[in-house]
C-alpha cells in the first residue's frame, strides 16, 4: 500500500513537471536564445537571411560587390559608420563607381531597426 502511494506521488510530480514544461518552458527558452545572440551573430543572420546581402557580398572575394573583408578594412581605416551608410546618410567609400547597384538595397536597410543595422555593422567589422 505504501509503495502504491509512493508511485502515484512520483507520477503526480512528473505530470506537473511535464505540464509546466509545455506551457512555459519553450517560449522562455526561445526568448533566452534570442537575447543571448551577440550583435555579430544577429548581423550574420540578417546578412544571410532577410537582408540578402550575401548574394552580392562574399567574405573573401569580390563578386558583384566588394568582399566583406575589403569593406571592413576600409571602414576600419577611415573610422566610418556602416549603419549610417545603410541609412543612406553616408558617402560610398569602398567602390563609388558601383554605388548605384548598392543603392537599390537602401529600400530594405532604411527600414531596419537601429539594433539590426548595428548588428550588420558588427558582423561586417568582425572580418
Ligand atoms: C545587388 C547587389 C548587392 C546587394 C544585394 C548588397 N550590396 Fe552592398 N554593395 C554592392 C555593390 C556593387 C557595392 C559597391 C558600391 C559601393 O561601394 O557603394 C556595395 C557596397 C557596400 C558597402 C560599402 C559602401 C561604401 O562605403 O562604399 C557596404 C557597407 C555594403 N555594400 C553593405 C551591404 C549590406 C549590409 C547588404 C545587405 C543589406 C548589401 N550590401 C547588399 C552590391 C550589393
Amino acid at each position: 500500500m505504501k509503495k502504491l502511494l509512493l508511485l502515484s506521488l512520483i507520477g503526480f510530480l512528473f505530470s506537473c513537471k511535464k505540464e509546466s514544461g509545455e506551457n512555459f518552458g519553450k517560449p522562455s527558452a526561445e526568448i533566452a536564445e534570442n537575447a543571448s545572440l551577440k550583435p555579430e551573430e544577429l548581423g550574420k543572420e540578417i546578412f544571410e537571411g532577410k537582408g540578402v546581402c550575401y548574394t552580392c557580398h562574399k567574405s573573401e572575394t569580390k563578386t558583384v560587390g566588394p568582399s566583406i573583408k575589403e569593406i571592413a578594412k576600409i571602414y576600419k581605416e577611415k573610422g566610418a559608420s556602416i549603419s549610417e551608410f545603410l541609412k543612406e546618410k553616408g558617402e560610398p567609400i569602398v567602390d563609388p563607381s558601383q554605388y548605384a547597384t548598392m543603392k537599390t538595397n537602401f529600400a530594405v536597410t532604411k527600414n531596419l531597426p537601429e539594433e539590426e543595422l548595428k548588428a550588420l555593422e558588427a558582423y561586417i567589422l568582425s572580418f
Side-chain angles (χ1 to χ4, degrees):
M1 188 57 197
K2 250 189 174 173
K3 240 186 189 172
L4 199 70
L5 203 72
L6 195 69
L7 273 176
S8 56
L9 193 70
I10 291 172
F12 176 68
L13 285 175
F14 266 101
S15 65
C16 281
K17 209 173 167 193
K18 196 173 160 232
E19 202 177 312
S20 67
E22 270 167 12
N23 288 341
F24 307 108
K26 245 191 200 163
S28 65
E30 271 165 26
I31 290 165
E33 201 180 299
N34 267 331
S36 69
L37 269 188
K38 289 194 218 119
E40 54 263 47
E41 289 168 341
L42 176 64
K44 183 174 198 278
E45 230 165 62
I46 301 165
F47 200 91
E48 292 171 358
K50 67 176 175 184
V52 295
C53 322
Y54 69 96
T55 52
C56 296
H57 297 289
K58 305 295 175 211
S59 54
E60 307 268 343
T61 47
K62 180 179 161 53
T63 50
V64 181
S67 70
I68 306 176
K69 268 198 169 159
E70 191 188 350
I71 295 173
K73 184 169 169 274
I74 290 173
Y75 269 82
K76 279 178 202 164
E77 276 171 11
K78 307 222 166 168
S81 164
I82 291 175
S83 57
E84 289 297 301
F85 174 79
L86 294 174
K87 284 186 276 185
E88 207 174 353
K89 287 183 182 156
E91 294 293 314
I93 55 175
V94 178
D95 188 359
S97 69
Q98 299 299 311
Y99 183 47
T101 310
M102 181 57 207
K103 257 185 151 174
T104 57
N105 297 291
F106 292 145
V108 174
T109 56
K110 272 176 152 178
N111 290 316
L112 292 177
E114 187 68 24
E115 187 205 352
E116 297 190 358
L117 292 175
K118 291 280 179 206
L120 278 171
E121 176 162 11
Y123 173 62
I124 293 172
L125 294 180
S126 74
F127 278 76

